[in-house]
Amino acid sequence: MPPPQVKKWQQSSIVNRVSGLEMDAISTFMREAVSFLQSEQYENAEEAYALALEVAQNEYGEGDAITVSLMGHMARSCSAQTGKEAFAAKLLERQLFMYENEAGLQPLMAERLTCLQDLALAYRSIGQAAEADKVAGKVDLVVLEVQRRMGEMEARIKASEEKQTPEDLGEQRNQALPGGSGEDEGGAD
């Protein structure tokens, strides 16, 4: 079997990958993909993202944030190509599964929202309106979860501030001033 054809734009990237500089390879593939997207070369962008995704999966695993993010990038490049919308939806389904089931990815709410929005659009593009509506309902739930978490965080901050005495707050302000002591050093008025 003959060796696979390597496109000219892939040559510099493959050198990085072979030399063990995986993150450099991923970054290079991503820069190339973005360049292709800007010139509306969606098939080449898909290939570049696929190469970056392969490196990320092999090096970091499928549940890594970089790997999962690359799934979304690749899906968006597929969504822009006629006939690849269903494949894009499958990639986004996998990405969503990872965001919902990998403990380390669950806090990434903004990324999950982007995935859900992209998936709803992908479902609509392939005529699955009912699935798109279900996904849109998940968007609402994630937004509510973000609001709940923000409320909890604000309550913790307020409780922490209430525990501090006015002297504590004054001390913190004084330490933040130039010179660190906050005392009047007899400077000009």
Side-chain angles (χ1 to χ4, degrees):
M1 180 186 288
Q5 292 293 327
V6 176
K7 294 182 180 180
K8 186 174 181 175
W9 67 268
Q10 294 173 329
Q11 290 173 354
S12 65
S13 302
I14 289 173
V15 169
N16 284 335
R17 186 169 123 192
V18 170
S19 66
L21 303 173
E22 291 81 8
M23 199 59 206
D24 287 346
I26 292 169
S27 296
T28 300
F29 288 135
M30 289 183 70
R31 278 192 303 276
E32 290 168 344
V34 168
S35 177
F36 289 131
L37 289 173
Q38 290 171 339
S39 60
E40 298 181 3
Q41 296 177 43
Y42 302 115
E43 188 175 322
N44 286 339
E46 176 192 354
E47 289 177 27
Y49 281 130
L51 290 168
L53 180 59
E54 179 183 348
V55 173
Q57 284 175 324
N58 290 337
E59 187 61 27
Y60 307 116
E62 190 176 31
D64 183 80
I66 293 169
T67 305
V68 175
S69 176
L70 284 165
M71 287 178 198
H73 289 297
M74 186 172 162
R76 283 186 288 283
S77 66
C78 290
S79 291
Q81 299 175 61
T82 303
K84 295 231 175 156
E85 298 90 348
F87 180 64
K90 292 292 182 196
L91 280 171
L92 291 164
E93 288 169 353
R94 184 69 188 152
Q95 184 186 40
L96 180 60
F97 177 84
M98 298 306 290
Y99 280 131
E100 290 179 340
N101 294 288
E102 285 289 324
L105 301 176
Q106 290 173 356
L108 302 176
M109 295 296 200
E111 291 83 353
R112 190 182 319 173
L113 280 170
T114 299
C115 176
L116 286 165
Q117 292 168 334
D118 290 344
L119 183 55
L121 290 172
Y123 281 149
R124 290 204 191 288
S125 74
I126 59 175
Q128 294 183 4
E131 288 299 315
D133 291 342
K134 273 194 235 178
V135 170
K138 284 187 174 187
V139 169
D140 295 338
L141 293 174
V142 172
V143 169
L144 288 172
E145 176 67 12
V146 168
Q147 290 172 337
R148 182 190 65 76
R149 288 182 184 189
M150 289 179 68
E152 288 175 357
M153 186 172 59
E154 289 171 0
R156 282 194 303 271
I157 290 169
K158 186 176 180 181
S160 173
E161 289 172 351
E162 288 173 355
K163 289 179 183 176
Q164 294 178 338
T165 66
E167 293 80 24
D168 292 337
L169 294 174
E171 177 76 22
Q172 288 173 359
R173 279 192 214 104
N174 285 340
Q175 289 177 355
L177 293 174
S181 70
E183 295 178 15
D184 186 4
E185 297 177 10
D189 292 308

